[in-house]
PDB file of all heavy atoms in Angstrom:
ATOM      1  N   VAL A   3      52.785 -38.516 -48.977  1.00 92.00           N
ATOM      2  CA  VAL A   3      54.110 -37.965 -48.664  1.00 92.00           C
ATOM      3  C   VAL A   3      55.003 -38.056 -49.898  1.00 92.00           C
ATOM      4  O   VAL A   3      55.131 -39.119 -50.510  1.00 92.00           O
ATOM      5  CB  VAL A   3      54.752 -38.719 -47.485  1.00 92.00           C
ATOM      6  CG1 VAL A   3      56.197 -38.270 -47.281  1.00 92.00           C
ATOM      7  CG2 VAL A   3      53.944 -38.502 -46.211  1.00 92.00           C
ATOM      8  N   ALA A   4      55.596 -36.929 -50.252  1.00 90.00           N
ATOM      9  CA  ALA A   4      56.508 -36.869 -51.405  1.00 90.00           C
ATOM     10  C   ALA A   4      57.934 -36.643 -50.925  1.00 90.00           C
ATOM     11  O   ALA A   4      58.157 -36.163 -49.810  1.00 90.00           O
ATOM     12  CB  ALA A   4      56.079 -35.743 -52.349  1.00 90.00           C
ATOM     13  N   LEU A   5      58.907 -37.012 -51.765  1.00 89.00           N
ATOM     14  CA  LEU A   5      60.304 -36.786 -51.420  1.00 89.00           C
ATOM     15  C   LEU A   5      60.534 -35.287 -51.226  1.00 89.00           C
ATOM     16  O   LEU A   5      60.352 -34.502 -52.164  1.00 89.00           O
ATOM     17  CB  LEU A   5      61.220 -37.323 -52.527  1.00 89.00           C
ATOM     18  CG  LEU A   5      62.716 -37.306 -52.227  1.00 89.00           C
ATOM     19  CD1 LEU A   5      63.038 -38.243 -51.059  1.00 89.00           C
ATOM     20  CD2 LEU A   5      63.513 -37.701 -53.465  1.00 89.00           C
ATOM     21  N   PRO A   6      60.914 -34.846 -50.022  1.00 92.00           N
ATOM     22  CA  PRO A   6      60.956 -33.404 -49.747  1.00 92.00           C
ATOM     23  C   PRO A   6      62.243 -32.735 -50.214  1.00 92.00           C
ATOM     24  O   PRO A   6      63.314 -33.344 -50.248  1.00 92.00           O
ATOM     25  CB  PRO A   6      60.860 -33.356 -48.226  1.00 92.00           C
ATOM     26  CG  PRO A   6      61.516 -34.627 -47.771  1.00 92.00           C
ATOM     27  CD  PRO A   6      61.202 -35.658 -48.832  1.00 92.00           C
ATOM     28  N   THR A   7      62.111 -31.467 -50.549  1.00 94.00           N
ATOM     29  CA  THR A   7      63.277 -30.620 -50.806  1.00 94.00           C
ATOM     30  C   THR A   7      63.719 -30.007 -49.477  1.00 94.00           C
ATOM     31  O   THR A   7      63.039 -30.142 -48.452  1.00 94.00           O
ATOM     32  CB  THR A   7      62.914 -29.502 -51.792  1.00 94.00           C
ATOM     33  OG1 THR A   7      61.899 -28.665 -51.194  1.00 94.00           O
ATOM     34  CG2 THR A   7      62.383 -30.070 -53.104  1.00 94.00           C
ATOM     35  N   VAL A   8      64.831 -29.300 -49.499  1.00 94.00           N
ATOM     36  CA  VAL A   8      65.325 -28.644 -48.279  1.00 94.00           C
ATOM     37  C   VAL A   8      64.306 -27.624 -47.781  1.00 94.00           C
ATOM     38  O   VAL A   8      64.046 -27.512 -46.571  1.00 94.00           O
ATOM     39  CB  VAL A   8      66.683 -27.958 -48.553  1.00 94.00           C
ATOM     40  CG1 VAL A   8      67.127 -27.158 -47.323  1.00 94.00           C
ATOM     41  CG2 VAL A   8      67.740 -28.991 -48.934  1.00 94.00           C
ATOM     42  N   ASP A   9      63.707 -26.883 -48.707  1.00 94.00           N
ATOM     43  CA  ASP A   9      62.712 -25.891 -48.333  1.00 94.00           C
ATOM     44  C   ASP A   9      61.503 -26.538 -47.651  1.00 94.00           C
ATOM     45  O   ASP A   9      60.996 -26.044 -46.650  1.00 94.00           O
ATOM     46  CB  ASP A   9      62.261 -25.131 -49.589  1.00 94.00           C
ATOM     47  CG  ASP A   9      61.232 -24.065 -49.290  1.00 94.00           C
ATOM     48  OD1 ASP A   9      61.500 -23.210 -48.416  1.00 94.00           O
ATOM     49  OD2 ASP A   9      60.145 -24.090 -49.908  1.00 94.00           O
ATOM     50  N   VAL A  10      61.059 -27.658 -48.193  1.00 95.00           N
ATOM     51  CA  VAL A  10      59.922 -28.375 -47.608  1.00 95.00           C
ATOM     52  C   VAL A  10      60.287 -28.912 -46.227  1.00 95.00           C
ATOM     53  O   VAL A  10      59.476 -28.857 -45.287  1.00 95.00           O
ATOM     54  CB  VAL A  10      59.470 -29.516 -48.535  1.00 95.00           C
ATOM     55  CG1 VAL A  10      58.475 -30.435 -47.823  1.00 95.00           C
ATOM     56  CG2 VAL A  10      58.845 -28.954 -49.805  1.00 95.00           C
ATOM     57  N   VAL A  11      61.491 -29.443 -46.083  1.00 96.00           N
ATOM     58  CA  VAL A  11      61.938 -29.970 -44.787  1.00 96.00           C
ATOM     59  C   VAL A  11      61.925 -28.879 -43.726  1.00 96.00           C
ATOM     60  O   VAL A  11      61.483 -29.102 -42.582  1.00 96.00           O
ATOM     61  CB  VAL A  11      63.345 -30.586 -44.909  1.00 96.00           C
ATOM     62  CG1 VAL A  11      63.921 -30.887 -43.524  1.00 96.00           C
ATOM     63  CG2 VAL A  11      63.299 -31.853 -45.747  1.00 96.00           C
ATOM     64  N   LEU A  12      62.372 -27.680 -44.074  1.00 96.00           N
ATOM     65  CA  LEU A  12      62.408 -26.568 -43.119  1.00 96.00           C
ATOM     66  C   LEU A  12      60.994 -26.203 -42.664  1.00 96.00           C
ATOM     67  O   LEU A  12      60.734 -26.034 -41.460  1.00 96.00           O
ATOM     68  CB  LEU A  12      63.090 -25.362 -43.760  1.00 96.00           C
ATOM     69  CG  LEU A  12      63.334 -24.148 -42.851  1.00 96.00           C
ATOM     70  CD1 LEU A  12      64.190 -24.548 -41.652  1.00 96.00           C
ATOM     71  CD2 LEU A  12      63.998 -23.023 -43.628  1.00 96.00           C
ATOM     72  N   LYS A  13      60.073 -26.097 -43.604  1.00 96.00           N
ATOM     73  CA  LYS A  13      58.678 -25.786 -43.247  1.00 96.00           C
ATOM     74  C   LYS A  13      58.075 -26.901 -42.405  1.00 96.00           C
ATOM     75  O   LYS A  13      57.318 -26.654 -41.453  1.00 96.00           O
ATOM     76  CB  LYS A  13      57.845 -25.577 -44.515  1.00 96.00           C
ATOM     77  CG  LYS A  13      58.212 -24.354 -45.331  1.00 96.00           C
ATOM     78  CD  LYS A  13      57.312 -24.239 -46.552  1.00 96.00           C
ATOM     79  CE  LYS A  13      57.614 -22.977 -47.361  1.00 96.00           C
ATOM     80  NZ  LYS A  13      58.945 -23.028 -47.986  1.00 96.00           N
ATOM     81  N   THR A  14      58.418 -28.142 -42.744  1.00 96.00           N
ATOM     82  CA  THR A  14      57.898 -29.288 -41.990  1.00 96.00           C
ATOM     83  C   THR A  14      58.374 -29.263 -40.545  1.00 96.00           C
ATOM     84  O   THR A  14      57.597 -29.510 -39.610  1.00 96.00           O
ATOM     85  CB  THR A  14      58.336 -30.605 -42.658  1.00 96.00           C
ATOM     86  OG1 THR A  14      57.841 -30.650 -43.998  1.00 96.00           O
ATOM     87  CG2 THR A  14      57.821 -31.807 -41.884  1.00 96.00           C
ATOM     88  N   LEU A  15      59.654 -28.966 -40.340  1.00 97.00           N
ATOM     89  CA  LEU A  15      60.197 -28.908 -38.989  1.00 97.00           C
ATOM     90  C   LEU A  15      59.477 -27.863 -38.148  1.00 97.00           C
ATOM     91  O   LEU A  15      59.174 -28.085 -36.964  1.00 97.00           O
ATOM     92  CB  LEU A  15      61.698 -28.618 -39.033  1.00 97.00           C
ATOM     93  CG  LEU A  15      62.598 -29.758 -39.515  1.00 97.00           C
ATOM     94  CD1 LEU A  15      64.048 -29.292 -39.622  1.00 97.00           C
ATOM     95  CD2 LEU A  15      62.491 -30.956 -38.578  1.00 97.00           C
ATOM     96  N   VAL A  16      59.209 -26.712 -38.755  1.00 96.00           N
ATOM     97  CA  VAL A  16      58.479 -25.657 -38.045  1.00 96.00           C
ATOM     98  C   VAL A  16      57.097 -26.160 -37.627  1.00 96.00           C
ATOM     99  O   VAL A  16      56.664 -25.980 -36.481  1.00 96.00           O
ATOM    100  CB  VAL A  16      58.356 -24.397 -38.929  1.00 96.00           C
ATOM    101  CG1 VAL A  16      57.372 -23.392 -38.304  1.00 96.00           C
ATOM    102  CG2 VAL A  16      59.720 -23.757 -39.124  1.00 96.00           C
ATOM    103  N   LEU A  17      56.390 -26.820 -38.546  1.00 96.00           N
ATOM    104  CA  LEU A  17      55.052 -27.325 -38.238  1.00 96.00           C
ATOM    105  C   LEU A  17      55.089 -28.420 -37.171  1.00 96.00           C
ATOM    106  O   LEU A  17      54.220 -28.468 -36.287  1.00 96.00           O
ATOM    107  CB  LEU A  17      54.394 -27.864 -39.514  1.00 96.00           C
ATOM    108  CG  LEU A  17      53.937 -26.817 -40.527  1.00 96.00           C
ATOM    109  CD1 LEU A  17      53.450 -27.497 -41.803  1.00 96.00           C
ATOM    110  CD2 LEU A  17      52.826 -25.950 -39.943  1.00 96.00           C
ATOM    111  N   VAL A  18      56.088 -29.298 -37.251  1.00 97.00           N
ATOM    112  CA  VAL A  18      56.197 -30.380 -36.269  1.00 97.00           C
ATOM    113  C   VAL A  18      56.440 -29.813 -34.873  1.00 97.00           C
ATOM    114  O   VAL A  18      55.831 -30.259 -33.889  1.00 97.00           O
ATOM    115  CB  VAL A  18      57.320 -31.353 -36.670  1.00 97.00           C
ATOM    116  CG1 VAL A  18      57.629 -32.323 -35.528  1.00 97.00           C
ATOM    117  CG2 VAL A  18      56.922 -32.131 -37.914  1.00 97.00           C
ATOM    118  N   VAL A  19      57.314 -28.830 -34.765  1.00 97.00           N
ATOM    119  CA  VAL A  19      57.597 -28.211 -33.458  1.00 97.00           C
ATOM    120  C   VAL A  19      56.351 -27.511 -32.917  1.00 97.00           C
ATOM    121  O   VAL A  19      55.997 -27.653 -31.739  1.00 97.00           O
ATOM    122  CB  VAL A  19      58.776 -27.226 -33.569  1.00 97.00           C
ATOM    123  CG1 VAL A  19      58.913 -26.403 -32.294  1.00 97.00           C
ATOM    124  CG2 VAL A  19      60.067 -27.977 -33.859  1.00 97.00           C
ATOM    125  N   LEU A  20      55.666 -26.770 -33.775  1.00 96.00           N
ATOM    126  CA  LEU A  20      54.474 -26.043 -33.324  1.00 96.00           C
ATOM    127  C   LEU A  20      53.348 -26.998 -32.930  1.00 96.00           C
ATOM    128  O   LEU A  20      52.724 -26.828 -31.876  1.00 96.00           O
ATOM    129  CB  LEU A  20      53.999 -25.090 -34.421  1.00 96.00           C
ATOM    130  CG  LEU A  20      54.864 -23.858 -34.677  1.00 96.00           C
ATOM    131  CD1 LEU A  20      54.345 -23.089 -35.884  1.00 96.00           C
ATOM    132  CD2 LEU A  20      54.872 -22.952 -33.451  1.00 96.00           C
ATOM    133  N   ALA A  21      53.075 -27.986 -33.777  1.00 95.00           N
ATOM    134  CA  ALA A  21      51.958 -28.899 -33.513  1.00 95.00           C
ATOM    135  C   ALA A  21      52.291 -29.927 -32.433  1.00 95.00           C
ATOM    136  O   ALA A  21      51.430 -30.281 -31.630  1.00 95.00           O
ATOM    137  CB  ALA A  21      51.549 -29.610 -34.798  1.00 95.00           C
ATOM    138  N   GLY A  22      53.531 -30.402 -32.415  1.00 94.00           N
ATOM    139  CA  GLY A  22      53.896 -31.491 -31.518  1.00 94.00           C
ATOM    140  C   GLY A  22      54.447 -31.073 -30.177  1.00 94.00           C
ATOM    141  O   GLY A  22      54.421 -31.863 -29.223  1.00 94.00           O
ATOM    142  N   ILE A  23      54.934 -29.829 -30.051  1.00 95.00           N
ATOM    143  CA  ILE A  23      55.540 -29.384 -28.791  1.00 95.00           C
ATOM    144  C   ILE A  23      54.870 -28.122 -28.254  1.00 95.00           C
ATOM    145  O   ILE A  23      54.410 -28.085 -27.108  1.00 95.00           O
ATOM    146  CB  ILE A  23      57.054 -29.146 -28.973  1.00 95.00           C
ATOM    147  CG1 ILE A  23      57.746 -30.447 -29.399  1.00 95.00           C
ATOM    148  CG2 ILE A  23      57.664 -28.615 -27.683  1.00 95.00           C
ATOM    149  CD1 ILE A  23      59.223 -30.288 -29.702  1.00 95.00           C
ATOM    150  N   VAL A  24      54.823 -27.081 -29.084  1.00 96.00           N
ATOM    151  CA  VAL A  24      54.282 -25.797 -28.617  1.00 96.00           C
ATOM    152  C   VAL A  24      52.788 -25.904 -28.296  1.00 96.00           C
ATOM    153  O   VAL A  24      52.327 -25.426 -27.250  1.00 96.00           O
ATOM    154  CB  VAL A  24      54.534 -24.696 -29.676  1.00 96.00           C
ATOM    155  CG1 VAL A  24      53.880 -23.388 -29.240  1.00 96.00           C
ATOM    156  CG2 VAL A  24      56.030 -24.498 -29.886  1.00 96.00           C
ATOM    157  N   LYS A  25      52.017 -26.530 -29.182  1.00 95.00           N
ATOM    158  CA  LYS A  25      50.572 -26.635 -28.961  1.00 95.00           C
ATOM    159  C   LYS A  25      50.238 -27.396 -27.677  1.00 95.00           C
ATOM    160  O   LYS A  25      49.401 -26.927 -26.892  1.00 95.00           O
ATOM    161  CB  LYS A  25      49.909 -27.279 -30.175  1.00 95.00           C
ATOM    162  CG  LYS A  25      48.402 -27.423 -30.051  1.00 95.00           C
ATOM    163  CD  LYS A  25      47.735 -27.675 -31.393  1.00 95.00           C
ATOM    164  CE  LYS A  25      48.265 -28.875 -32.117  1.00 95.00           C
ATOM    165  NZ  LYS A  25      47.600 -29.142 -33.392  1.00 95.00           N
ATOM    166  N   PRO A  26      50.860 -28.560 -27.409  1.00 94.00           N
ATOM    167  CA  PRO A  26      50.587 -29.228 -26.134  1.00 94.00           C
ATOM    168  C   PRO A  26      50.982 -28.380 -24.924  1.00 94.00           C
ATOM    169  O   PRO A  26      50.280 -28.380 -23.915  1.00 94.00           O
ATOM    170  CB  PRO A  26      51.433 -30.501 -26.217  1.00 94.00           C
ATOM    171  CG  PRO A  26      51.642 -30.736 -27.658  1.00 94.00           C
ATOM    172  CD  PRO A  26      51.700 -29.379 -28.289  1.00 94.00           C
ATOM    173  N   ALA A  27      52.110 -27.670 -25.035  1.00 94.00           N
ATOM    174  CA  ALA A  27      52.539 -26.828 -23.917  1.00 94.00           C
ATOM    175  C   ALA A  27      51.516 -25.742 -23.625  1.00 94.00           C
ATOM    176  O   ALA A  27      51.175 -25.471 -22.461  1.00 94.00           O
ATOM    177  CB  ALA A  27      53.910 -26.215 -24.224  1.00 94.00           C
ATOM    178  N   ILE A  28      51.002 -25.103 -24.683  1.00 94.00           N
ATOM    179  CA  ILE A  28      49.981 -24.071 -24.510  1.00 94.00           C
ATOM    180  C   ILE A  28      48.720 -24.673 -23.896  1.00 94.00           C
ATOM    181  O   ILE A  28      48.090 -24.085 -22.997  1.00 94.00           O
ATOM    182  CB  ILE A  28      49.654 -23.409 -25.863  1.00 94.00           C
ATOM    183  CG1 ILE A  28      50.864 -22.628 -26.376  1.00 94.00           C
ATOM    184  CG2 ILE A  28      48.433 -22.489 -25.752  1.00 94.00           C
ATOM    185  CD1 ILE A  28      50.718 -22.139 -27.800  1.00 94.00           C
ATOM    186  N   THR A  29      48.346 -25.859 -24.343  1.00 93.00           N
ATOM    187  CA  THR A  29      47.151 -26.535 -23.816  1.00 93.00           C
ATOM    188  C   THR A  29      47.306 -26.829 -22.329  1.00 93.00           C
ATOM    189  O   THR A  29      46.374 -26.622 -21.541  1.00 93.00           O
ATOM    190  CB  THR A  29      46.903 -27.846 -24.588  1.00 93.00           C
ATOM    191  OG1 THR A  29      46.772 -27.565 -25.982  1.00 93.00           O
ATOM    192  CG2 THR A  29      45.632 -28.522 -24.096  1.00 93.00           C
ATOM    193  N   ILE A  30      48.474 -27.316 -21.924  1.00 92.00           N
ATOM    194  CA  ILE A  30      48.718 -27.614 -20.507  1.00 92.00           C
ATOM    195  C   ILE A  30      48.584 -26.355 -19.668  1.00 92.00           C
ATOM    196  O   ILE A  30      47.920 -26.347 -18.614  1.00 92.00           O
ATOM    197  CB  ILE A  30      50.115 -28.239 -20.326  1.00 92.00           C
ATOM    198  CG1 ILE A  30      50.158 -29.635 -20.944  1.00 92.00           C
ATOM    199  CG2 ILE A  30      50.481 -28.323 -18.844  1.00 92.00           C
ATOM    200  CD1 ILE A  30      51.552 -30.240 -21.015  1.00 92.00           C
ATOM    201  N   VAL A  31      49.210 -25.271 -20.110  1.00 91.00           N
ATOM    202  CA  VAL A  31      49.152 -24.011 -19.362  1.00 91.00           C
ATOM    203  C   VAL A  31      47.708 -23.522 -19.224  1.00 91.00           C
ATOM    204  O   VAL A  31      47.258 -23.133 -18.130  1.00 91.00           O
ATOM    205  CB  VAL A  31      50.020 -22.938 -20.056  1.00 91.00           C
ATOM    206  CG1 VAL A  31      49.779 -21.564 -19.424  1.00 91.00           C
ATOM    207  CG2 VAL A  31      51.499 -23.310 -19.971  1.00 91.00           C
ATOM    208  N   LEU A  32      46.951 -23.545 -20.310  1.00 90.00           N
ATOM    209  CA  LEU A  32      45.578 -23.053 -20.279  1.00 90.00           C
ATOM    210  C   LEU A  32      44.673 -23.935 -19.422  1.00 90.00           C
ATOM    211  O   LEU A  32      43.813 -23.427 -18.689  1.00 90.00           O
ATOM    212  CB  LEU A  32      45.028 -22.963 -21.705  1.00 90.00           C
ATOM    213  CG  LEU A  32      45.654 -21.880 -22.593  1.00 90.00           C
ATOM    214  CD1 LEU A  32      45.132 -21.990 -24.025  1.00 90.00           C
ATOM    215  CD2 LEU A  32      45.371 -20.488 -22.033  1.00 90.00           C
ATOM    216  N   LEU A  33      44.858 -25.248 -19.488  1.00 87.00           N
ATOM    217  CA  LEU A  33      44.038 -26.140 -18.667  1.00 87.00           C
ATOM    218  C   LEU A  33      44.344 -25.975 -17.184  1.00 87.00           C
ATOM    219  O   LEU A  33      43.425 -25.977 -16.345  1.00 87.00           O
ATOM    220  CB  LEU A  33      44.254 -27.594 -19.084  1.00 87.00           C
ATOM    221  CG  LEU A  33      43.549 -28.039 -20.367  1.00 87.00           C
ATOM    222  CD1 LEU A  33      44.019 -29.429 -20.777  1.00 87.00           C
ATOM    223  CD2 LEU A  33      42.040 -28.037 -20.172  1.00 87.00           C
ATOM    224  N   MET A  34      45.609 -25.823 -16.844  1.00 84.00           N
ATOM    225  CA  MET A  34      45.963 -25.602 -15.445  1.00 84.00           C
ATOM    226  C   MET A  34      45.458 -24.246 -14.965  1.00 84.00           C
ATOM    227  O   MET A  34      45.041 -24.093 -13.815  1.00 84.00           O
ATOM    228  CB  MET A  34      47.479 -25.739 -15.252  1.00 84.00           C
ATOM    229  CG  MET A  34      47.978 -27.165 -15.481  1.00 84.00           C
ATOM    230  SD  MET A  34      49.774 -27.378 -15.312  1.00 84.00           S
ATOM    231  CE  MET A  34      49.977 -27.130 -13.554  1.00 84.00           C
ATOM    232  N   TYR A  35      45.435 -23.273 -15.862  1.00 83.00           N
ATOM    233  CA  TYR A  35      44.852 -21.966 -15.535  1.00 83.00           C
ATOM    234  C   TYR A  35      43.360 -22.092 -15.239  1.00 83.00           C
ATOM    235  O   TYR A  35      42.823 -21.424 -14.356  1.00 83.00           O
ATOM    236  CB  TYR A  35      45.073 -21.005 -16.703  1.00 83.00           C
ATOM    237  CG  TYR A  35      44.282 -19.717 -16.605  1.00 83.00           C
ATOM    238  CD1 TYR A  35      44.686 -18.694 -15.750  1.00 83.00           C
ATOM    239  CD2 TYR A  35      43.130 -19.527 -17.369  1.00 83.00           C
ATOM    240  CE1 TYR A  35      43.953 -17.514 -15.646  1.00 83.00           C
ATOM    241  CE2 TYR A  35      42.399 -18.365 -17.280  1.00 83.00           C
ATOM    242  CZ  TYR A  35      42.811 -17.365 -16.419  1.00 83.00           C
ATOM    243  OH  TYR A  35      42.075 -16.209 -16.321  1.00 83.00           O
ATOM    244  N   LYS A  36      42.693 -22.992 -15.965  1.00 80.00           N
ATOM    245  CA  LYS A  36      41.262 -23.223 -15.748  1.00 80.00           C
ATOM    246  C   LYS A  36      40.979 -24.084 -14.520  1.00 80.00           C
ATOM    247  O   LYS A  36      39.827 -24.299 -14.152  1.00 80.00           O
ATOM    248  CB  LYS A  36      40.643 -23.891 -16.978  1.00 80.00           C
ATOM    249  CG  LYS A  36      40.515 -22.988 -18.187  1.00 80.00           C
ATOM    250  CD  LYS A  36      39.433 -21.943 -17.993  1.00 80.00           C
ATOM    251  CE  LYS A  36      38.060 -22.566 -18.039  1.00 80.00           C
ATOM    252  NZ  LYS A  36      36.975 -21.562 -17.886  1.00 80.00           N
ATOM    253  N   GLY A  37      42.028 -24.587 -13.875  1.00 76.00           N
ATOM    254  CA  GLY A  37      41.839 -25.319 -12.631  1.00 76.00           C
ATOM    255  C   GLY A  37      42.047 -26.814 -12.706  1.00 76.00           C
ATOM    256  O   GLY A  37      41.927 -27.503 -11.693  1.00 76.00           O
ATOM    257  N   TYR A  38      42.369 -27.359 -13.871  1.00 80.00           N
ATOM    258  CA  TYR A  38      42.607 -28.792 -13.982  1.00 80.00           C
ATOM    259  C   TYR A  38      43.989 -29.133 -13.441  1.00 80.00           C
ATOM    260  O   TYR A  38      44.945 -28.362 -13.611  1.00 80.00           O
ATOM    261  CB  TYR A  38      42.480 -29.250 -15.434  1.00 80.00           C
ATOM    262  CG  TYR A  38      41.052 -29.201 -15.926  1.00 80.00           C
ATOM    263  CD1 TYR A  38      40.548 -28.059 -16.537  1.00 80.00           C
ATOM    264  CD2 TYR A  38      40.207 -30.286 -15.745  1.00 80.00           C
ATOM    265  CE1 TYR A  38      39.231 -27.997 -16.970  1.00 80.00           C
ATOM    266  CE2 TYR A  38      38.894 -30.233 -16.176  1.00 80.00           C
ATOM    267  CZ  TYR A  38      38.407 -29.090 -16.783  1.00 80.00           C
ATOM    268  OH  TYR A  38      37.101 -29.031 -17.196  1.00 80.00           O
ATOM    269  N   GLU A  39      44.073 -30.281 -12.752  1.00 80.00           N
ATOM    270  CA  GLU A  39      45.375 -30.636 -12.186  1.00 80.00           C
ATOM    271  C   GLU A  39      46.323 -31.085 -13.290  1.00 80.00           C
ATOM    272  O   GLU A  39      45.912 -31.403 -14.401  1.00 80.00           O
ATOM    273  CB  GLU A  39      45.208 -31.690 -11.075  1.00 80.00           C
ATOM    274  CG  GLU A  39      44.330 -32.871 -11.403  1.00 80.00           C
ATOM    275  CD  GLU A  39      45.042 -33.912 -12.217  1.00 80.00           C
ATOM    276  OE1 GLU A  39      46.272 -34.001 -12.127  1.00 80.00           O
ATOM    277  OE2 GLU A  39      44.361 -34.640 -12.950  1.00 80.00           O
TER     278      GLU A  39
END
């Protein structure tokens, strides 16, 4: 981890939201679609 610039922070936030929030949400929807409780 290096000291980030503003540009790096913005890209990081996008990745954190996608990997940490959006991806789990998509996984939950798809698993429930497949029949898992």
Side-chain angles (χ1 to χ4, degrees):
V3 173
L5 187 64
T7 63
V8 174
D9 181 54
V10 169
V11 169
L12 186 58
K13 293 181 177 67
T14 301
L15 288 175
V16 169
L17 287 174
V18 169
V19 170
L20 288 174
I23 299 176
V24 176
K25 180 163 56 178
I28 294 170
T29 303
I30 291 171
V31 170
L32 291 174
L33 283 171
M34 293 178 69
Y35 168 77
K36 289 289 289 181
Y38 290 91
E39 48 80 26

